[in-house]
Amino acid sequence: MFASALGLATVGPALAQVPPLLTVPDRRVVPGDAPDLGSDAVWKFAASLGGSKTSGNTDSTQLNVTGEAARITDDSKLNLAVRGFYAETNDTRTGANLYLNTQYDRDFTRDWFGFGKLDALRDHPANIHLRTSAFTGVGYHVVRTSENTWDVSGGLGYTEDRYVRPAQVAGALRDEYGRVEGVLSESSSHKLTDTTSIRQKLGVFPNLKNSGEYRVVFDAGLSVAINSALSLTAGWTYRFDSDPGIGVNKVDTVWVTGIGVKWD
């Protein structure tokens, strides 16, 4: 058997995502911490690539790519991210999705901030031709230091799913399904050593149109720096949808590793 790999992806059902690559300092100065980035802070960029290829008794291909950009000022943060995953075994596609995300946070006091968030997901193995979401709300900085951050937030938004095949969702056979959703979220980042950092984010999205239904999204990631530009990355993603449609799994998970590069 021949195998080559930039990284490894171990996948449950589809819907892979990789946690954010960029770890940026807090936007406001805390005494003893890093200096203020200023209102004209530069953009920061990161990208990660991982995959594997085998041939012989089993022919398989796996590839995951992630790109992220962030612009930080003294009182705001704009984050843009794109993530893609593809897997094929014996000429049969076993996973394929593309995820786009943008979020803007702006502080209106030392501890409180407002946010706006847009998401788009394409995942045919999960019967999602296109899922689009828009949310807005407020959040609170529970912890804000140069080495540790922890935010909690909540808000409202709207999500619309368009399906690859008609799905039995919310008691009816549908080609698409739109609904108002709430969002309750917490996220944190931690610098464990000079070279090692971790991040995690949990979001719960209750369906306000169909009581009792909800989605859960959890991402966790580890980054170990090789030098100032390169790092080894690992991530785990968990997705739960209480009403994805008949014949579609409620839970999607993915493990990924890869090599990341950062630049300003």
Side-chain angles (χ1 to χ4, degrees):
M1 177 180 294
F2 169 76
S4 63
L6 290 170
L8 173 67
T10 305
V11 184
L15 194 59
Q17 290 184 23
V18 181
L21 299 168
L22 289 173
T23 300
V24 294
D26 186 25
R27 297 188 295 279
R28 289 175 178 248
V29 175
V30 177
D33 287 341
D36 192 350
L37 291 172
S39 59
D40 295 323
V42 298
W43 282 89
K44 295 179 178 293
F45 302 91
S48 178
L49 174 65
S52 65
K53 172 67 177 178
T54 67
S55 62
N57 293 316
T58 300
D59 293 325
S60 67
T61 300
Q62 294 183 352
L63 178 67
N64 65 83
V65 294
T66 299
E68 188 173 2
R71 186 179 186 275
I72 315 299
T73 72
D74 56 353
D75 62 358
S76 68
K77 178 173 71 172
L78 175 63
N79 185 268
L80 309 171
V82 56
R83 302 159 197 168
F85 174 79
Y86 181 83
E88 180 181 291
T89 301
N90 295 329
D91 298 325
T92 299
R93 184 178 63 181
T94 56
N97 64 68
L98 179 66
Y99 174 72
L100 305 175
N101 164 261
T102 179
Q103 180 163 331
Y104 178 72
D105 298 343
R106 187 172 185 86
D107 293 342
F108 49 82
T109 71
R110 173 62 181 82
D111 296 322
W112 292 90
F113 65 95
F115 73 88
K117 173 181 170 65
L118 299 173
D119 294 325
L121 172 70
R122 182 182 178 91
D123 191 343
H124 280 200
N127 198 34
I128 299 174
H129 178 67
L130 181 65
R131 169 179 289 163
T132 53
S133 301
F135 293 95
T136 187
V138 297
Y140 182 77
H141 301 297
V142 180
V143 177
R144 312 187 68 179
T145 70
S146 59
E147 295 185 348
N148 297 282
T149 66
W150 182 31
D151 293 343
V152 295
S153 60
L156 292 172
Y158 187 83
T159 296
E160 181 175 271
D161 292 342
R162 296 186 179 184
Y163 303 111
V164 179
R165 303 171 302 278
Q168 188 74 26
V169 175
L173 188 65
R174 306 172 186 269
D175 293 315
E176 58 184 44
Y177 179 51
R179 68 277 188 189
V180 176
E181 291 184 327
V183 55
L184 300 172
S185 178
E186 65 83 22
S187 63
S188 67
S189 63
H190 310 276
K191 188 175 181 180
L192 304 181
T193 69
D194 290 341
T195 59
T196 305
S197 60
I198 60 173
R199 295 186 68 174
Q200 64 82 31
K201 184 172 185 178
L202 172 67
V204 180
F205 304 87
N207 186 335
L208 303 183
K209 182 178 181 179
N210 189 11
S211 178
E213 304 298 345
Y214 62 97
R215 298 185 294 118
V216 177
V217 179
F218 178 75
D219 288 315
L222 171 70
S223 176
V224 179
I226 301 173
N227 53 39
S228 60
L230 296 176
S231 61
L232 299 176
T233 63
W236 182 64
T237 295
Y238 172 90
R239 298 287 185 271
F240 176 84
D241 188 340
S242 65
D243 189 17
I246 295 176
V248 180
N249 289 335
K250 293 184 177 182
V251 175
D252 297 302
T253 62
V254 62
W255 289 93
V256 295
T257 64
I259 296 176
V261 58
K262 301 178 183 181
W263 69 97
D264 294 339

PDB file of all heavy atoms in Angstrom, residues 13-34:
ATOM      1  N   PRO A  13     -19.987  11.028  10.386  1.00  0.00           N
ATOM      2  CA  PRO A  13     -20.784  11.541   9.295  1.00  0.00           C
ATOM      3  C   PRO A  13     -20.277  12.896   8.850  1.00  0.00           C
ATOM      4  O   PRO A  13     -19.440  13.502   9.505  1.00  0.00           O
ATOM      5  CB  PRO A  13     -22.187  11.636   9.933  1.00  0.00           C
ATOM      6  CG  PRO A  13     -22.154  10.643  11.039  1.00  0.00           C
ATOM      7  CD  PRO A  13     -20.755  10.684  11.558  1.00  0.00           C
ATOM      8  N   ALA A  14     -20.836  13.421   7.757  1.00  0.00           N
ATOM      9  CA  ALA A  14     -20.286  14.620   7.124  1.00  0.00           C
ATOM     10  C   ALA A  14     -20.403  15.843   8.021  1.00  0.00           C
ATOM     11  O   ALA A  14     -20.735  15.741   9.179  1.00  0.00           O
ATOM     12  CB  ALA A  14     -21.019  14.868   5.815  1.00  0.00           C
ATOM     13  N   LEU A  15     -20.138  17.021   7.473  1.00  0.00           N
ATOM     14  CA  LEU A  15     -20.229  18.316   8.149  1.00  0.00           C
ATOM     15  C   LEU A  15     -18.960  18.635   8.901  1.00  0.00           C
ATOM     16  O   LEU A  15     -18.960  18.946  10.064  1.00  0.00           O
ATOM     17  CB  LEU A  15     -21.428  18.388   9.096  1.00  0.00           C
ATOM     18  CG  LEU A  15     -21.827  19.783   9.599  1.00  0.00           C
ATOM     19  CD1 LEU A  15     -22.171  20.689   8.446  1.00  0.00           C
ATOM     20  CD2 LEU A  15     -22.983  19.699  10.559  1.00  0.00           C
ATOM     21  N   ALA A  16     -17.829  18.523   8.238  1.00  0.00           N
ATOM     22  CA  ALA A  16     -16.554  18.830   8.881  1.00  0.00           C
ATOM     23  C   ALA A  16     -16.333  20.318   8.945  1.00  0.00           C
ATOM     24  O   ALA A  16     -16.642  21.045   8.034  1.00  0.00           O
ATOM     25  CB  ALA A  16     -15.423  18.182   8.087  1.00  0.00           C
ATOM     26  N   GLN A  17     -15.754  20.752  10.049  1.00  0.00           N
ATOM     27  CA  GLN A  17     -15.284  22.109  10.190  1.00  0.00           C
ATOM     28  C   GLN A  17     -14.037  22.078  11.025  1.00  0.00           C
ATOM     29  O   GLN A  17     -13.817  21.184  11.820  1.00  0.00           O
ATOM     30  CB  GLN A  17     -16.318  23.003  10.865  1.00  0.00           C
ATOM     31  CG  GLN A  17     -17.519  23.288   9.999  1.00  0.00           C
ATOM     32  CD  GLN A  17     -18.459  24.261  10.675  1.00  0.00           C
ATOM     33  OE1 GLN A  17     -18.062  25.014  11.526  1.00  0.00           O
ATOM     34  NE2 GLN A  17     -19.701  24.223  10.293  1.00  0.00           N
ATOM     35  N   VAL A  18     -13.193  23.095  10.835  1.00  0.00           N
ATOM     36  CA  VAL A  18     -11.962  23.216  11.592  1.00  0.00           C
ATOM     37  C   VAL A  18     -12.063  24.461  12.437  1.00  0.00           C
ATOM     38  O   VAL A  18     -12.442  25.514  11.944  1.00  0.00           O
ATOM     39  CB  VAL A  18     -10.746  23.311  10.652  1.00  0.00           C
ATOM     40  CG1 VAL A  18      -9.468  23.415  11.452  1.00  0.00           C
ATOM     41  CG2 VAL A  18     -10.701  22.098   9.737  1.00  0.00           C
ATOM     42  N   PRO A  19     -11.742  24.410  13.734  1.00  0.00           N
ATOM     43  CA  PRO A  19     -11.799  25.608  14.556  1.00  0.00           C
ATOM     44  C   PRO A  19     -10.874  26.686  14.032  1.00  0.00           C
ATOM     45  O   PRO A  19      -9.928  26.416  13.304  1.00  0.00           O
ATOM     46  CB  PRO A  19     -11.342  25.112  15.936  1.00  0.00           C
ATOM     47  CG  PRO A  19     -11.611  23.642  15.919  1.00  0.00           C
ATOM     48  CD  PRO A  19     -11.397  23.218  14.495  1.00  0.00           C
ATOM     49  N   PRO A  20     -11.115  27.958  14.390  1.00  0.00           N
ATOM     50  CA  PRO A  20     -10.310  29.053  13.884  1.00  0.00           C
ATOM     51  C   PRO A  20      -8.823  28.861  14.133  1.00  0.00           C
ATOM     52  O   PRO A  20      -8.410  28.356  15.170  1.00  0.00           O
ATOM     53  CB  PRO A  20     -10.848  30.262  14.664  1.00  0.00           C
ATOM     54  CG  PRO A  20     -12.247  29.888  14.994  1.00  0.00           C
ATOM     55  CD  PRO A  20     -12.216  28.408  15.232  1.00  0.00           C
ATOM     56  N   LEU A  21      -8.002  29.283  13.171  1.00  0.00           N
ATOM     57  CA  LEU A  21      -6.558  29.138  13.264  1.00  0.00           C
ATOM     58  C   LEU A  21      -5.904  30.290  14.007  1.00  0.00           C
ATOM     59  O   LEU A  21      -4.893  30.126  14.668  1.00  0.00           O
ATOM     60  CB  LEU A  21      -5.953  29.068  11.855  1.00  0.00           C
ATOM     61  CG  LEU A  21      -6.417  27.905  10.990  1.00  0.00           C
ATOM     62  CD1 LEU A  21      -5.973  28.138   9.561  1.00  0.00           C
ATOM     63  CD2 LEU A  21      -5.865  26.604  11.507  1.00  0.00           C
ATOM     64  N   LEU A  22      -6.481  31.482  13.876  1.00  0.00           N
ATOM     65  CA  LEU A  22      -5.856  32.671  14.428  1.00  0.00           C
ATOM     66  C   LEU A  22      -6.153  32.810  15.912  1.00  0.00           C
ATOM     67  O   LEU A  22      -7.292  32.668  16.342  1.00  0.00           O
ATOM     68  CB  LEU A  22      -6.362  33.914  13.702  1.00  0.00           C
ATOM     69  CG  LEU A  22      -5.881  34.091  12.260  1.00  0.00           C
ATOM     70  CD1 LEU A  22      -6.605  35.265  11.627  1.00  0.00           C
ATOM     71  CD2 LEU A  22      -4.384  34.306  12.210  1.00  0.00           C
ATOM     72  N   THR A  23      -5.125  33.073  16.686  1.00  0.00           N
ATOM     73  CA  THR A  23      -5.285  33.438  18.090  1.00  0.00           C
ATOM     74  C   THR A  23      -4.743  34.837  18.241  1.00  0.00           C
ATOM     75  O   THR A  23      -3.539  35.063  18.108  1.00  0.00           O
ATOM     76  CB  THR A  23      -4.533  32.466  19.008  1.00  0.00           C
ATOM     77  OG1 THR A  23      -5.047  31.152  18.814  1.00  0.00           O
ATOM     78  CG2 THR A  23      -4.714  32.842  20.469  1.00  0.00           C
ATOM     79  N   VAL A  24      -5.616  35.810  18.480  1.00  0.00           N
ATOM     80  CA  VAL A  24      -5.219  37.216  18.495  1.00  0.00           C
ATOM     81  C   VAL A  24      -5.358  37.776  19.896  1.00  0.00           C
ATOM     82  O   VAL A  24      -6.189  37.327  20.679  1.00  0.00           O
ATOM     83  CB  VAL A  24      -6.075  38.043  17.521  1.00  0.00           C
ATOM     84  CG1 VAL A  24      -5.811  37.621  16.106  1.00  0.00           C
ATOM     85  CG2 VAL A  24      -7.549  37.901  17.855  1.00  0.00           C
ATOM     86  N   PRO A  25      -4.543  38.761  20.267  1.00  0.00           N
ATOM     87  CA  PRO A  25      -4.625  39.327  21.609  1.00  0.00           C
ATOM     88  C   PRO A  25      -5.921  40.087  21.821  1.00  0.00           C
ATOM     89  O   PRO A  25      -6.614  40.447  20.887  1.00  0.00           O
ATOM     90  CB  PRO A  25      -3.414  40.275  21.655  1.00  0.00           C
ATOM     91  CG  PRO A  25      -3.128  40.601  20.232  1.00  0.00           C
ATOM     92  CD  PRO A  25      -3.491  39.370  19.459  1.00  0.00           C
ATOM     93  N   ASP A  26      -6.223  40.337  23.105  1.00  0.00           N
ATOM     94  CA  ASP A  26      -7.421  41.082  23.469  1.00  0.00           C
ATOM     95  C   ASP A  26      -7.375  42.474  22.860  1.00  0.00           C
ATOM     96  O   ASP A  26      -6.320  43.046  22.639  1.00  0.00           O
ATOM     97  CB  ASP A  26      -7.508  41.155  24.996  1.00  0.00           C
ATOM     98  CG  ASP A  26      -8.800  41.789  25.473  1.00  0.00           C
ATOM     99  OD1 ASP A  26      -9.780  41.733  24.707  1.00  0.00           O
ATOM    100  OD2 ASP A  26      -8.804  42.340  26.574  1.00  0.00           O
ATOM    101  N   ARG A  27      -8.577  43.052  22.587  1.00  0.00           N
ATOM    102  CA  ARG A  27      -8.629  44.306  21.865  1.00  0.00           C
ATOM    103  C   ARG A  27      -8.318  45.515  22.738  1.00  0.00           C
ATOM    104  O   ARG A  27      -7.896  46.542  22.242  1.00  0.00           O
ATOM    105  CB  ARG A  27     -10.016  44.460  21.235  1.00  0.00           C
ATOM    106  CG  ARG A  27     -10.313  43.383  20.213  1.00  0.00           C
ATOM    107  CD  ARG A  27     -11.589  43.689  19.481  1.00  0.00           C
ATOM    108  NE  ARG A  27     -12.754  43.654  20.334  1.00  0.00           N
ATOM    109  CZ  ARG A  27     -13.377  42.538  20.691  1.00  0.00           C
ATOM    110  NH1 ARG A  27     -12.907  41.383  20.298  1.00  0.00           N
ATOM    111  NH2 ARG A  27     -14.462  42.581  21.438  1.00  0.00           N
ATOM    112  N   ARG A  28      -8.579  45.446  24.050  1.00  0.00           N
ATOM    113  CA  ARG A  28      -8.331  46.581  24.927  1.00  0.00           C
ATOM    114  C   ARG A  28      -7.198  46.254  25.894  1.00  0.00           C
ATOM    115  O   ARG A  28      -6.996  45.112  26.279  1.00  0.00           O
ATOM    116  CB  ARG A  28      -9.579  46.964  25.708  1.00  0.00           C
ATOM    117  CG  ARG A  28     -10.659  47.613  24.835  1.00  0.00           C
ATOM    118  CD  ARG A  28     -11.894  47.860  25.654  1.00  0.00           C
ATOM    119  NE  ARG A  28     -12.908  48.511  24.838  1.00  0.00           N
ATOM    120  CZ  ARG A  28     -13.303  49.764  25.030  1.00  0.00           C
ATOM    121  NH1 ARG A  28     -12.746  50.501  25.959  1.00  0.00           N
ATOM    122  NH2 ARG A  28     -14.246  50.282  24.277  1.00  0.00           N
ATOM    123  N   VAL A  29      -6.486  47.265  26.314  1.00  0.00           N
ATOM    124  CA  VAL A  29      -5.327  47.062  27.159  1.00  0.00           C
ATOM    125  C   VAL A  29      -5.753  46.759  28.596  1.00  0.00           C
ATOM    126  O   VAL A  29      -6.603  47.425  29.157  1.00  0.00           O
ATOM    127  CB  VAL A  29      -4.420  48.311  27.148  1.00  0.00           C
ATOM    128  CG1 VAL A  29      -3.273  48.142  28.116  1.00  0.00           C
ATOM    129  CG2 VAL A  29      -3.901  48.545  25.746  1.00  0.00           C
ATOM    130  N   VAL A  30      -5.169  45.716  29.157  1.00  0.00           N
ATOM    131  CA  VAL A  30      -5.292  45.425  30.571  1.00  0.00           C
ATOM    132  C   VAL A  30      -3.921  45.661  31.174  1.00  0.00           C
ATOM    133  O   VAL A  30      -2.917  45.248  30.593  1.00  0.00           O
ATOM    134  CB  VAL A  30      -5.735  43.963  30.813  1.00  0.00           C
ATOM    135  CG1 VAL A  30      -5.780  43.649  32.297  1.00  0.00           C
ATOM    136  CG2 VAL A  30      -7.081  43.711  30.161  1.00  0.00           C
ATOM    137  N   PRO A  31      -3.796  46.376  32.299  1.00  0.00           N
ATOM    138  CA  PRO A  31      -2.481  46.678  32.859  1.00  0.00           C
ATOM    139  C   PRO A  31      -1.589  45.447  32.936  1.00  0.00           C
ATOM    140  O   PRO A  31      -1.990  44.400  33.437  1.00  0.00           O
ATOM    141  CB  PRO A  31      -2.824  47.215  34.260  1.00  0.00           C
ATOM    142  CG  PRO A  31      -4.186  47.808  34.094  1.00  0.00           C
ATOM    143  CD  PRO A  31      -4.884  46.921  33.111  1.00  0.00           C
ATOM    144  N   GLY A  32      -0.387  45.589  32.384  1.00  0.00           N
ATOM    145  CA  GLY A  32       0.572  44.496  32.393  1.00  0.00           C
ATOM    146  C   GLY A  32       0.490  43.586  31.196  1.00  0.00           C
ATOM    147  O   GLY A  32       1.306  42.681  31.047  1.00  0.00           O
ATOM    148  N   ASP A  33      -0.500  43.813  30.329  1.00  0.00           N
ATOM    149  CA  ASP A  33      -0.652  42.967  29.156  1.00  0.00           C
ATOM    150  C   ASP A  33      -0.017  43.616  27.933  1.00  0.00           C
ATOM    151  O   ASP A  33       0.641  44.639  28.019  1.00  0.00           O
ATOM    152  CB  ASP A  33      -2.135  42.679  28.887  1.00  0.00           C
ATOM    153  CG  ASP A  33      -2.700  41.696  29.895  1.00  0.00           C
ATOM    154  OD1 ASP A  33      -1.899  41.000  30.525  1.00  0.00           O
ATOM    155  OD2 ASP A  33      -3.923  41.642  30.044  1.00  0.00           O
ATOM    156  N   ALA A  34      -0.279  43.012  26.760  1.00  0.00           N
ATOM    157  CA  ALA A  34       0.301  43.495  25.509  1.00  0.00           C
ATOM    158  C   ALA A  34      -0.209  44.899  25.196  1.00  0.00           C
ATOM    159  O   ALA A  34      -1.308  45.281  25.592  1.00  0.00           O
ATOM    160  CB  ALA A  34      -0.067  42.548  24.371  1.00  0.00           C
TER     161      ALA A  34
END
